[in-house]
Amino acid sequence: MRVGFVGMVVVLACVVGLAWCGEKDGWVELIGEGMKGWRKPTADWMNVGEAVKDPQNEKKIATKPGQGILVNGPKGRTRNLFSVLEHGDVEAHIEFMVPKGSNSGVYFMGRYEVQVLDSWGVKKPKHGDCGGIYQRWDNKRKPPGFEGHPPRVNASKAPGEWQSFDVVFKAPRFDKDGKKIANAVFIKVVHNGQIVHENVEVTGPTRAAAYRDEKPKGPLMFQGDHGPVAYRNIRIRHVEPE
């Protein structure tokens, strides 16, 4: 499935203090002061000035006060985090860091996951490795897991290093009666500068999604209950399809 995009259009109006913290060249910055722009409750998530691999424990994150980096609490395990802003067709840039053995995920529309994992050194990555599009799940099927998409290559950096995703995502389409007429599509996923997916359809929410239904719009979700993780430079811009 080939999908082209022309023209980057921001389609949201600014509501003071509600959804985001700045806009430049069409890009909406989602991290600003404190936990503004994130749905409550934000639990143990905190906005800090520095996040590095803990020199005393390679499986943890050490932080310093400030602003600009989201960390899932001092224990590295808390509830998932949702943006107030909801998106449809979108381009996203997200930077993340995980210490040794840790796990998280970025869910577009709260439903479709690009995996975040310490996959350093994995020779044959699977859908559950970093940059993979996670599998769907149905207990009535044998096997229950299906439709996972491994990254083309393992682009992972060593644990404790900052990494990036650049994603172009097309939301599912619905007719006037609300019936789905086209699946969501990851048009492109770039991990640390390497293309790991192109034009991958997702027929429904992936495993551990916040919502089991499908809608024209939804929030970004960051998984916070699988181990320590830090995120920074989270920005999106809405795109208008041809």
Side-chain angles (χ1 to χ4, degrees):
M1 180 177 181
R2 186 177 181 84
V3 182
F5 282 83
V6 292
M8 300 297 179
V9 181
V10 175
V11 297
L12 298 173
C14 181
V15 180
V16 176
L18 176 61
W20 65 79
C21 306
E23 180 184 321
K24 184 178 180 181
D25 298 329
W27 287 100
V28 176
E29 300 284 349
L30 295 187
I31 301 178
E33 181 182 350
M35 296 304 298
K36 275 186 178 178
W38 303 96
R39 290 186 185 178
K40 295 180 180 179
T42 55
D44 291 335
W45 284 91
M46 53 189 184
N47 193 339
V48 302
E50 183 178 328
V52 298
K53 181 174 64 175
D54 190 335
Q56 305 300 318
N57 187 335
E58 64 183 359
K59 294 186 176 182
K60 293 187 176 182
I61 292 175
T63 65
K64 291 184 179 179
Q67 300 284 323
I69 301 173
L70 300 180
V71 177
N72 62 335
K75 295 180 180 179
R77 195 175 293 272
T78 188
R79 67 182 297 150
N80 299 330
L81 185 68
F82 297 82
S83 64
V84 173
L85 179 151
E86 294 193 348
H87 71 84
D89 299 339
V90 74
E91 182 176 3
H93 175 84
I94 297 162
E95 297 176 18
F96 62 92
M97 184 268 284
V98 287
K100 186 175 181 179
S102 199
N103 178 201
S104 182
V106 180
Y107 290 74
F108 285 77
M109 304 182 75
R111 293 169 172 85
Y112 316 100
E113 181 186 12
V114 180
Q115 173 78 319
V116 171
L117 186 74
D118 169 21
S119 294
W120 173 245
V122 174
K123 292 182 179 180
K124 293 182 179 180
K126 299 179 180 180
H127 71 270
D129 281 298
C130 200
I133 296 172
Y134 211 80
Q135 67 182 353
R136 300 193 62 206
W137 195 265
D138 183 347
N139 287 324
K140 296 179 181 178
R141 295 174 61 113
K142 293 184 179 180
F146 63 103
E147 236 180 63
H149 300 276
R152 291 179 181 176
V153 297
N154 183 3
S156 295
K157 295 182 180 181
E161 292 190 32
W162 283 95
Q163 308 188 53
S164 66
F165 286 148
D166 290 281
V167 179
V168 180
F169 174 84
K170 182 182 179 185
R173 297 299 196 255
F174 301 86
D175 65 17
K176 61 182 178 61
D177 297 317
K179 180 181 178 181
K180 188 174 75 168
I181 56 175
N183 292 319
V185 182
F186 283 96
I187 304 300
K188 184 177 290 186
V189 179
V190 179
H191 182 196
N192 295 332
Q194 297 190 60
I195 296 174
V196 293
H197 298 288
E198 283 187 292
N199 299 317
V200 176
E201 287 196 42
V202 188
T203 63
T206 56
R207 191 178 186 186
Y211 313 104
R212 306 315 305 172
D213 61 354
E214 294 185 280
K215 299 287 184 181
K217 289 186 178 182
L220 278 178
M221 182 185 101
F222 297 89
Q223 196 170 49
D225 61 353
H226 279 43
V229 65
Y231 289 100
R232 70 182 185 189
N233 294 331
I234 303 172
R235 56 182 180 266
I236 68 173
R237 57 181 174 183
H238 288 249
V239 294
E240 184 171 305
E242 290 180 337

